[in-house]
Amino acid sequence: MEKVEGIVIRTGDYGETNKIVTLFTREKGKIAVMARGAKKPKSRLTAITQPFVYASFLVQMGSNMGTLQQGEVLYSLRSIREDIVKTAYASYMAELTDKLQEQNKPDPFLFQQLLQTFIWITEDKDLDILLFMYEMKMFRKGGFAPEVHRCVNCGSEEEPFSFSVQEGGILCTRCRHLDSHSYGLAPNLLKLLRICLEVDVTRVGNISVKQENKDRLKQMISEYYDRYGGYYLKSKKFLNQLDWLKE
């Protein structure tokens, strides 16, 4: 038996009464556990196997899948589940984590980033900024983060830059010809891109960003993931549909 702190990032039904739950834990990284009887109305496991719940879990570890014995909710994050927009953002972050985080490989930094991001979501921080920051951390985790500090071609640190999805980072004015579809980067947008990659989400205050810059950054990051990410994400489609509804 082992006690772990974790966030529920995925749940699936198994039979009529059981759930298979994927946890992103501080101590063990990503693990899958069987929650027997969790779908029964009076099960003591029901509360701790809700999506996005942060809890302390008692798990009987197995070679492939553990068994969830009991747990205690540390932070229910219920307001995420009660809001369709917050659910969409959190679902995408959870699925991205599930796809890019290896099984049984602890990453305390990334765990803290996800937990704090979910807490900020419940406190109504800017959803798009939180998303950009977490996405960029996950891109680095996946080994395909863009180069945002110097020209990806010649190494120049002289501004202005443009952002090239094709080349995998920023291009200086001398190298911009390499990608005719690169995005121009105003200094504040370049700064925001660097913040998203480098700054710990626990240090986020109330970053104020113009909507046009958020839209530009969203388009850039989305195209970048589509080119280098390698995994189809169902939740991303849902997130994009929400954007269409807003328009």
Side-chain angles (χ1 to χ4, degrees):
M1 292 286 214
E2 296 201 38
K3 193 174 184 180
V4 294
E5 273 182 38
I7 304 163
V8 176
I9 58 171
R10 180 156 61 98
T11 66
D13 295 342
Y14 186 81
E16 291 186 13
T17 60
N18 309 321
K19 281 184 185 178
I20 294 176
V21 183
T22 303
L23 306 173
F24 185 29
T25 72
R26 191 187 299 275
E27 300 86 356
K28 296 283 183 182
K30 185 179 76 171
I31 60 172
V33 296
M34 175 70 75
R36 299 190 186 282
K39 289 171 65 183
K40 292 179 180 177
K42 294 183 180 178
S43 170
R44 69 185 193 283
L45 300 181
T46 302
I48 56 167
T49 55
Q50 299 294 311
F52 321 126
V53 159
Y54 168 48
S56 172
F57 301 95
L58 190 63
V59 177
Q60 187 172 350
M61 302 300 290
S63 54
N64 291 318
M65 185 182 298
T67 302
L68 180 58
Q69 300 293 337
Q70 62 187 66
E72 178 186 358
V73 174
L74 300 175
Y75 204 142
S76 80
L77 300 164
R78 189 176 67 193
S79 69
I80 296 178
R81 293 186 297 279
E82 292 175 345
D83 183 299
I84 190 169
V85 176
K86 290 179 179 180
T87 294
Y89 278 80
S91 296
Y92 171 63
M93 293 175 197
E95 189 178 6
L96 193 62
T97 306
D98 189 27
K99 296 292 188 189
L100 296 178
Q101 180 69 28
E102 288 182 63
Q103 199 89 1
N104 302 313
K105 292 281 178 70
D107 190 329
F109 171 75
L110 203 60
F111 173 85
Q112 195 60 42
Q113 296 300 292
L114 183 61
L115 175 59
Q116 187 60 62
T117 298
F118 281 179
I119 290 171
W120 285 149
I121 289 174
T122 68
E123 295 179 8
D124 298 320
K125 299 277 188 185
D126 189 302
L127 289 169
D128 288 319
I129 298 301
L130 292 173
L131 181 66
F132 301 151
M133 293 189 75
Y134 191 70
E135 279 182 305
M136 294 291 271
K137 306 292 191 302
M138 286 306 309
F139 292 178
R140 175 177 279 170
K141 174 71 179 179
F144 57 91
E147 171 58 68
V148 298
H149 290 288
R150 56 193 60 81
C151 177
V152 74
N153 185 55
C154 74
S156 170
E157 296 182 14
E158 187 181 335
E159 296 186 26
F161 290 106
S162 60
F163 184 82
S164 169
V165 173
Q166 173 186 299
E167 300 297 319
I170 57 176
L171 292 171
C172 67
T173 50
R174 288 185 297 277
C175 298
R176 188 170 183 175
H177 68 276
L178 293 171
D179 181 7
S180 60
H181 299 291
S182 62
Y183 293 89
L185 286 178
N188 56 350
L189 194 54
L190 176 61
K191 183 181 178 185
L192 181 59
L193 197 57
R194 289 171 172 170
I195 285 171
C196 288
L197 185 63
E198 304 294 343
V199 174
D200 190 314
V201 76
T202 59
R203 291 171 50 201
V204 171
N206 289 312
I207 298 176
S208 180
V209 180
K210 289 180 182 176
Q211 189 60 48
E212 64 190 82
N213 283 336
K214 286 200 288 188
D215 291 343
R216 170 68 65 93
L217 197 56
K218 182 178 286 189
Q219 189 174 357
M220 283 164 32
I221 292 176
S222 181
E223 284 184 26
Y224 189 87
Y225 179 81
D226 289 345
R227 187 176 182 102
Y228 300 104
Y231 292 101
Y232 170 73
L233 302 172
K234 267 192 310 187
S235 54
K236 189 178 183 190
K237 187 178 178 183
F238 180 39
L239 203 54
N240 291 339
Q241 286 170 340
L242 279 183
D243 283 342
W244 297 335
L245 290 173
K246 288 179 199 170
E247 290 172 5

